[in-house]
Amino acid sequence: MSQGEATHGHRGDRNKPITRRRFLTALGTLAGSAVLAACATPTPQVIEKIVKETVVVKETVAVEKSVEKVVTATPVPKKPQTLMLWGTPRFTGKRGYEPGGKDTDWWDWQVQLFQEKYPWYTLKYELGGSNRAAAIAAGDWPHVLYSGASLMWTYAPQKQIAPINDFTPKETIDNWIEPFKNETTYVDGKLYAFPIVVAVGGGLMLNLTMAEKNKVLDLAPVKDFEKNPGRHWSADQCLEFMKGNTVAADGTYGTAWMTDWAYQVDQFLYSHGARMYTPDQCKVAPTRPEGVKGLQWLVDTEHKHKVAVPGSSGRTQDTALKMFVEGKIAMIPSQSAYIGIFRRTDGSGIEKFKFAFVAPPTDAGQEPASYVNPHCWFAFNFKESEKLEAAMVLGNFLSREESVEVHCRARGYVPPLKSLEKMFGVDPDHFASVQLAYKGGLRGHRVGEVQTECLVPMYDKAFLQKM
């Protein structure tokens, strides 16, 4: 809905509370179905083995003992093959901070490392690219694709991507955090993706410089890290924070909502106790009274309390983000990746203002909650065993710990590996994002359709007070 369209409506509908019946009538449900995928996979190549050997230790007395030693086998050369990797640039430089870095630096680096380890393979890549969905539907597949986990529900039912369990050591999978495994397990109980990062689709970014100027810094949940490491706060506390930063003389507001990225608004319903999907994750059903209460709280910030910039309906994320960067609002619905973005606002490493990443505010008795959105590598389900095995080799290579750590540090993402959980130390911003990720909920099997066909129209109508 455009900004212009947002100005029309029946005056008689305005300022009415959102009742459960009107909420349900405006919302409806979105049904989806999931199909089992059974994909045959070859026996994986063993790359490590345990060797038992007898060792004679000669000191004063000769002693024999049996020991175990791990022997890593040299990869067995395969038939020469060209592999195609489809990616999306997420940062510049090899590690995200080198001056003058390019979008292709990390990808070129991985090609070099991969071909050094597997010289019989030739690896090529394509960044961005258009009409990928059409190409995949036509059978023009890459070996590996970088994408969000929700696309599993597009490709797995069509048997276009392959389960990775039989090609990945158990100890490797055991190192993946549960939120990642939950989001990449299909209805057949198998995993269909290799990890790279976990994005938190929620949390808030606060302008602490503005809050300090307006003498409401004490309302922000940024003190007593040991007592409140998750940076939790109540809906009432958040409202007072927004009121204190709404200053007519300065033209500033507490926040600005958007509706094009619905999942960043969903967290306010979640944190009032709503559940956005049915247990099978195939229907939208935020129909509990808690969901209605959370939506009413959002609408009231704009129309009753006047602490949100007018015109939420139809506003884009980019517009709201611009307001935040320019110091016109003190708070914006956020995600963990913003931590990395704001720490390099102009490439110099100098912050334009002090900021903090905090949890979404909660109603009494509720826990903060948001979505998690794993980014991952999909290996395509080639019938030719050599191609399938090559895709799995590449997927495992790209998801190794060194690769994951670079991506997480470059953009502020949550590590999907248990071995990297402490990589951010006691950084309060990252620690809050990690805690939120571990409580994150599923985004739904048909997330794209859910957002555009259901939740975005719901929020548009709610902010226009037409429900």
Side-chain angles (χ1 to χ4, degrees):
M1 181 179 295
S2 69
Q3 198 73 19
E5 292 172 328
T7 62
H8 299 290
H10 299 290
R11 293 182 180 273
D13 290 334
R14 295 173 183 263
N15 302 315
K16 289 184 179 180
I18 301 172
T19 65
R20 177 180 173 85
R21 181 176 181 180
R22 296 169 67 202
F23 181 81
L24 289 170
T25 301
L27 173 61
T29 58
L30 177 68
S33 62
V35 182
L36 288 175
C39 303
T41 53
T43 303
Q45 174 192 343
V46 177
I47 60 171
E48 288 191 347
K49 57 181 178 180
I50 302 297
V51 178
K52 289 189 176 182
E53 56 184 25
T54 300
V55 178
V56 178
V57 180
K58 290 185 178 180
E59 293 180 351
T60 307
V61 180
V63 179
E64 288 191 357
K65 64 178 181 178
S66 178
V67 298
E68 291 187 348
K69 180 173 66 175
V70 176
V71 178
T72 301
T74 302
V76 179
K78 301 292 183 181
K79 179 181 178 181
Q81 188 178 157
T82 298
L83 280 62
M84 177 55 72
L85 170 63
W86 285 358
T88 302
R90 308 305 299 181
F91 52 85
T92 59
K94 281 187 175 182
R95 301 180 181 276
Y97 53 75
E98 297 90 345
K102 302 187 294 296
D103 288 345
T104 56
D105 288 348
W106 182 84
W107 302 87
D108 290 338
W109 185 28
Q110 300 313 298
V111 169
Q112 176 189 343
L113 295 176
F114 182 76
Q115 294 187 168
E116 286 175 356
K117 185 170 184 178
Y118 304 99
W120 50 91
Y121 290 141
T122 299
L123 178 59
K124 297 183 178 180
Y125 67 85
E126 176 185 289
L127 300 183
S130 59
N131 299 320
R132 284 183 171 177
I136 291 172
D140 182 13
W141 298 346
H143 285 75
V144 171
L145 169 70
Y146 176 101
S147 179
S150 60
L151 279 183
M152 175 181 69
W153 299 99
T154 299
Y155 299 136
Q158 305 299 323
K159 300 183 180 180
Q160 294 165 323
I161 55 174
I164 57 89
N165 303 68
D166 292 339
F167 294 88
T168 306
K170 181 181 181 299
E171 58 269 26
T172 297
I173 294 176
D174 288 344
N175 190 38
W176 300 351
I177 65 174
E178 292 306 313
F180 177 84
K181 289 193 283 189
N182 290 342
E183 288 286 89
T184 56
T185 299
Y186 190 53
V187 294
D188 58 5
K190 296 180 180 180
L191 288 159
Y192 276 76
F194 296 97
I196 188 67
V197 299
V198 171
V200 180
L204 305 173
M205 194 68 75
L206 307 184
N207 184 328
L208 300 183
T209 301
M210 183 185 297
E212 188 172 19
K213 173 187 174 184
N214 294 326
K215 303 185 186 309
V216 290
L217 183 59
D218 287 345
L219 292 172
V222 296
K223 294 185 178 180
D224 300 323
F225 175 67
E226 292 184 359
K227 294 182 179 179
N228 186 15
R231 289 183 164 177
H232 300 171
W233 55 338
S234 70
D236 291 341
Q237 184 181 352
C238 178
L239 180 59
E240 291 304 312
F241 177 84
M242 289 190 285
K243 287 180 178 179
N245 286 293
T246 301
V247 182
D250 296 339
T252 61
Y253 283 84
T255 192
W257 308 123
M258 74 293 293
T259 59
D260 65 330
W261 285 14
Y263 69 84
Q264 288 190 344
V265 185
D266 295 344
Q267 62 182 317
F268 295 93
L269 277 66
Y270 260 109
S271 295
H272 275 75
R275 290 299 172 261
M276 303 298 288
Y277 300 97
T278 54
D280 63 4
Q281 294 290 302
C282 290
K283 291 183 180 179
V284 181
T287 55
R288 294 170 59 184
E290 295 89 345
V292 179
K293 185 177 182 180
L295 185 57
Q296 187 70 63
W297 184 88
L298 281 169
V299 172
D300 285 348
T301 61
E302 178 180 342
H303 294 283
K304 179 180 178 180
H305 303 295
K306 313 293 183 182
V307 296
V309 178
S312 300
S313 180
R315 182 179 292 124
T316 66
Q317 163 71 17
D318 289 344
T319 301
L321 181 58
K322 186 173 184 290
M323 293 178 184
F324 183 76
V325 172
E326 292 176 350
K328 295 179 180 178
I329 58 175
M331 181 182 84
I332 185 173
S334 186
Q335 53 184 308
S336 57
Y338 282 19
I339 299 170
I341 293 172
F342 281 114
R343 285 184 173 167
R344 292 184 302 277
T345 53
D346 59 1
S348 68
I350 301 173
E351 299 172 4
K352 292 181 179 179
F353 49 79
K354 294 179 182 178
F355 67 87
F357 182 89
V358 305
T362 58
D363 195 21
Q366 301 295 338
E367 284 287 320
S370 70
Y371 295 124
V372 291
N373 180 27
H375 295 198
C376 52
W377 307 103
F378 291 124
F380 277 78
N381 192 24
F382 291 99
K383 293 181 179 179
E384 302 92 332
S385 60
E386 296 87 356
K387 284 188 175 181
L388 178 60
E389 182 178 355
M392 294 296 174
V393 169
L394 179 57
N396 274 292
F397 176 83
L398 293 169
S399 60
R400 68 197 189 283
E401 184 174 294
E402 296 84 354
S403 175
V404 169
E405 182 172 359
V406 167
H407 273 74
C408 291
R409 289 192 184 281
R411 290 294 302 273
Y413 289 119
V414 172
L417 307 183
K418 296 175 185 177
S419 56
L420 291 177
E421 283 178 353
K422 297 181 179 180
M423 65 178 284
F424 294 126
V426 292
D427 179 325
D429 293 315
H430 284 299
F431 200 88
S433 74
V434 170
Q435 285 219 335
L436 195 56
Y438 273 68
K439 296 179 181 179
L442 299 174
R443 296 188 64 188
H445 294 174
R446 302 179 67 185
V447 63
E449 296 172 35
V450 164
Q451 300 292 336
T452 58
E453 296 179 7
C454 184
L455 295 179
V456 168
M458 180 183 79
Y459 289 130
D460 280 336
K461 289 180 180 179
F463 282 117
L464 287 173
Q465 297 186 299
K466 289 184 177 180
M467 297 186 72

